[in-house]
Amino acid sequence: MALKTEEMVLNMGPQHPSTHGVLRLELVLDGELIENVIPHIGYLHRCFEKHCEAMTYPQVIPYTDRMDYLASMYNEFGYVVAMERLMNIEVPERVQYIRVIMGEFQRIASHLVALGTYGADIGAFTPFLFCFRDREKILNLFEITCGARLLYNYMWIGGVSHDLHADFIRLANEFIKEFRPNLKELNDLLTFNQIFIDRTANVGILPAETAINYGITGPNLRASGVKWDLRRDDPYSIYDKFDFEIPIGKGEKGTTGDCWDRYYMRVREMEESLKIIEQALDQIPEGDVSSAIPKRVKPPVGQIYARVENPRGELGYFIISDGSLNPYRIKVRAPSFVNLEVLGELCKGHLVADVVAILGSIDIVLGEIDR
Amino acid sequence: MKTSEEIFNILKEKFGEAIGELVSDKPAESVIVVSPMEIDKICLFLRDEKDLEFNSLMNLSGVDDANGEKVKDENGNEILKGGTLSVYYHLESISLKHKVTLKVSTDRENPEVASVEEIWRTADWHEREAFDMYGIKFLNHHNLIRILMPYDWEAGYPLRKDYQNPEFYKGMKVPY
């Protein structure tokens, strides 16, 4: 006699340590197996786009900081690139170098949080402390540059708010020298740890075709074996001047596009970011950082979609100007918003315990999803 | 790799009437205006045609054109009547590395646009967001519900230019 069974619906979150913010997942379960995952978002919605319409263009910058609060520098970067294209502003070379240096430091800091919390999600607590120790040093560098540790309001349309501190280049070089061995330490401790590999390899496999159709970008797309990086494929700022590689997932420990690949992609990217920073610190020219900042920001009538490679993927700003001092419309294409959509697809057929591993490997920030 | 003009000519030849004009005034990007009811067929063609291969939808964004007539409602608030709402589609081909922007405009009182969710899965949430913020109805979308606002939000669509902040939500005073 066949037993009649029913699906069980389980709520994970909104308050849950492994949802990285305020996210509710509705898990549809068949015993221990996941049939579907439905994310419910919007708990942090604070009308960013509506706010912008009441602000002048420079006043939007501090708001962009608060979207992806782990990569504030890069959010500003995307916004100023969009505005400069719309207003056709030529930015001094020193400013471009400073932006790249800050952007890549921010990428490392953001990836360190991603990797550290991912380890903590899975049960390895020590790497979390190691990662935060190193991130702290980057935040110190930001602090001597602009006085803030998390929300900077540093990049302005046409320039940056402060020039580099006299000690910055020395301290940055010292950090790079210290950080390289630490990265190896992280690899020994977590990346190539057999327990960690068992937990993440062959879990949550994302094939390249599916990834593109779902609009996945950034490390998650590259982990699926697609060589696509906006720094190389749709260059902005001065990224075409630097020599760096774009790592892609090869399925070394399991299948291409599994959780381990997504994790390891971020480790590799930190190494590449270090290379970029080293070159930039070496070549940075002298100059004035505020000469191109316009007194009145009044872009011509028109619309523009500009995008940058944020630590989480493609961060796009769609700006419509009606020729006044306030933006008519700003839409943000947030990488985490798009990346989270694929979660249901990834979790199907896995165990409940794997949801945490898969969600952590996508690396989302709810501040940016809900805006 | 193709420019917006070339893509516009290909589309014009294939779809004729459904393709409007090509708007290109620098520094703004070129936009191809198309019919809201044909957008799904046009997108399918753009995705599957051999020399176009638009396999990625970068962004989908609703916009309130606010070109209607301003009238006062019964409470004395200014609202917009008539005019249009628009949706912008930013497409990209990862293999061929070209981009194109499409735009559809629809009636503000009864905004209906064909859904492209079946063509790019990523459109699902983007369209839900446009519905949530502007009330644009995407026909044939499998689950068109609010996404960022509460599911039972009754005060309208926040990003419309004539949106009025509600005083109460479910009997609770909304603080500002």
Side-chain angles (χ1 to χ4, degrees):
Chain A
M1 193 178 75
L3 274 173
K4 191 168 167 278
T5 56
E6 269 177 29
E7 312 175 315
M8 186 168 90
V9 177
L10 189 70
N11 267 313
M12 180 174 159
Q15 286 84 19
H16 187 283
S18 295
T19 53
H20 297 261
V22 205
L23 164 71
R24 179 161 71 95
L25 297 176
E26 190 182 322
L27 311 178
V28 184
L29 305 176
D30 173 17
E32 272 283 288
L33 296 175
I34 307 276
E35 291 215 321
N36 200 5
V37 178
I38 305 156
H40 294 272
I41 60 175
Y43 291 90
L44 289 178
H45 181 54
R46 67 232 112 124
C47 321
F48 166 77
E49 287 164 11
K50 188 81 176 170
H51 266 301
C52 290
E53 291 172 10
M55 299 289 143
T56 63
Y57 287 96
Q59 281 174 339
V60 171
I61 295 173
Y63 277 102
T64 64
D65 280 340
R66 284 150 180 82
M67 286 193 303
D68 180 352
Y69 41 78
L70 295 177
S72 301
M73 281 285 185
Y74 235 100
N75 293 351
E76 296 169 6
F77 202 166
Y79 180 70
V80 295
V81 164
M83 284 309 297
E84 282 154 11
R85 274 195 206 153
L86 187 61
M87 295 177 69
N88 211 357
I89 296 176
E90 193 71 40
V91 182
E93 202 166 0
R94 184 172 174 85
V95 173
Q96 300 280 26
Y97 273 92
I98 293 177
R99 284 181 183 170
V100 168
I101 292 168
M102 295 302 163
E104 294 307 310
F105 268 129
Q106 184 72 84
R107 189 184 308 278
I108 296 174
S110 170
H111 282 352
L112 281 172
V113 178
L115 303 182
T117 52
Y118 190 45
D121 281 350
I122 291 194
F125 195 72
T126 318
F128 173 77
L129 300 173
F130 279 34
C131 288
F132 269 63
R133 173 197 62 195
D134 292 329
R135 173 171 177 261
E136 200 62 22
K137 292 175 194 157
I138 296 178
L139 298 188
N140 287 342
L141 286 174
F142 289 151
E143 193 177 4
I144 63 162
T145 309
C146 62
R149 296 171 65 78
L150 285 173
L151 307 164
Y152 313 102
N153 190 13
Y154 180 61
M155 293 182 196
W156 290 356
I157 297 161
V160 291
S161 69
H162 300 77
D163 201 353
L164 291 181
H165 189 272
D167 277 345
F168 184 88
I169 292 184
R170 182 180 59 83
L171 291 169
N173 276 318
E174 265 172 31
F175 169 80
I176 293 171
K177 212 180 277 168
E178 276 172 34
F179 184 59
R180 282 231 165 85
N182 290 351
L183 209 50
K184 192 180 169 300
E185 195 179 45
L186 178 71
N187 278 340
D188 293 342
L189 191 65
L190 188 63
T191 314
F192 299 109
N193 181 330
Q194 193 57 44
I195 302 170
F196 179 72
I197 292 173
D198 287 346
R199 205 49 222 285
T200 53
N202 288 322
V203 172
I205 297 156
L206 178 62
E209 280 290 302
T210 318
I212 293 173
N213 201 258
Y214 268 98
I216 309 292
T217 45
N220 298 327
L221 178 64
R222 291 191 282 278
S224 297
V226 182
K227 212 169 189 145
W228 181 255
D229 189 319
L230 297 177
R231 290 175 291 175
R232 176 70 48 88
D233 292 298
D234 187 8
Y236 52 94
S237 193
I238 46 161
Y239 276 106
D240 43 359
K241 286 193 181 170
F242 302 112
D243 176 32
F244 63 101
E245 274 168 42
I246 298 166
I248 55 167
K250 295 199 183 77
E252 280 160 69
K253 300 291 169 192
T255 318
T256 305
D258 60 7
C259 286
W260 192 86
D261 264 349
R262 283 195 286 278
Y263 165 89
Y264 191 48
M265 208 43 45
R266 299 192 167 89
V267 179
R268 299 275 310 278
E269 277 186 16
M270 288 200 286
E271 290 166 9
E272 300 305 321
S273 291
L274 286 178
K275 274 193 213 163
I276 297 175
I277 297 170
E278 267 179 335
Q279 293 170 45
L281 288 172
D282 210 33
Q283 301 164 10
I284 187 166
E286 290 298 320
D288 184 4
V289 296
S290 54
S291 59
I293 298 176
K295 291 242 156 39
R296 242 160 78 94
V297 180
K298 203 174 172 188
V301 180
Q303 42 84 27
I304 191 147
Y305 178 75
R307 56 205 187 134
V308 294
E309 183 77 25
N310 175 283
R312 281 167 193 80
E314 172 181 330
L315 173 71
Y317 284 90
F318 177 53
I319 301 176
I320 299 182
S321 156
D322 59 355
S324 71
L325 292 170
N326 312 91
Y328 184 79
R329 164 88 168 118
I330 292 188
K331 151 95 184 176
V332 179
R333 187 256 194 228
S336 302
F337 178 82
V338 180
N339 290 351
L340 180 63
E341 217 179 323
V342 79
L343 185 69
E345 194 87 358
L346 289 183
C347 288
K348 257 170 215 161
H350 283 294
L351 298 171
V352 177
D354 290 331
V355 175
V356 173
I358 294 169
L359 182 64
S361 75
I362 304 176
D363 182 26
I364 53 165
V365 167
L366 267 299
E368 171 181 83
I369 293 176
D370 296 341
R371 279 161 286 148
Chain B
M1 202 168 159
K2 287 198 174 2
T3 62
S4 295
E5 285 79 38
E6 287 167 333
I7 293 164
F8 175 72
N9 291 334
I10 294 172
L11 286 179
K12 193 85 199 166
E13 201 173 302
K14 172 95 185 161
F15 290 97
E17 287 283 286
I19 310 294
E21 44 175 352
L22 176 77
V23 185
S24 54
D25 36 12
K26 298 275 173 197
E29 294 163 337
S30 318
V31 177
I32 301 175
V33 182
V34 304
S35 148
M37 291 304 149
E38 305 286 319
I39 181 78
D40 51 343
K41 289 172 208 120
I42 293 164
C43 284
L44 190 67
F45 172 76
L46 285 172
R47 188 192 71 179
D48 290 342
E49 184 69 11
K50 212 171 121 275
D51 314 332
L52 297 170
E53 284 182 32
F54 281 100
N55 48 11
S56 163
L57 173 72
M58 293 186 283
N59 186 28
L60 186 157
S61 168
V63 176
D64 184 355
D65 297 320
N67 49 4
E69 184 191 348
K70 282 190 182 135
V71 291
K72 292 258 159 87
D73 67 357
E74 64 270 26
N75 299 325
N77 296 318
E78 205 162 72
I79 57 163
L80 289 162
K81 245 192 145 53
T84 53
L85 296 172
S86 297
V87 184
Y88 283 81
Y89 300 79
H90 294 89
L91 315 182
E92 177 188 38
S93 166
I94 286 186
S95 40
L96 300 175
K97 296 196 179 177
H98 52 207
K99 294 186 268 189
V100 72
T101 308
L102 305 180
K103 177 189 173 184
V104 302
S105 289
T106 173
D107 182 32
R108 190 189 174 89
E109 305 303 318
N110 185 25
E112 286 182 342
V113 179
S115 170
V116 296
E117 180 213 19
E118 298 271 293
I119 300 161
W120 300 285
R121 297 297 299 276
T122 177
D124 178 359
W125 281 20
H126 280 302
E127 288 183 348
R128 274 176 68 188
E129 194 188 329
F131 166 72
D132 194 359
M133 296 297 157
Y134 291 97
I136 298 166
K137 291 183 190 71
F138 291 91
L139 306 176
N140 295 327
H141 189 289
H142 82 286
N143 183 28
L144 196 65
I145 53 173
R146 288 194 182 265
I147 185 164
L148 294 176
M149 301 296 286
Y151 292 125
D152 52 3
W153 190 254
E154 283 160 1
Y157 303 104
L159 278 181
R160 286 197 183 188
K161 291 285 179 185
D162 60 352
Y163 175 71
Q164 304 292 338
N165 286 321
E167 222 173 311
F168 292 96
Y169 168 64
K170 302 269 151 197
M172 292 175 283
K173 184 113 176 68
V174 183
Y176 292 106

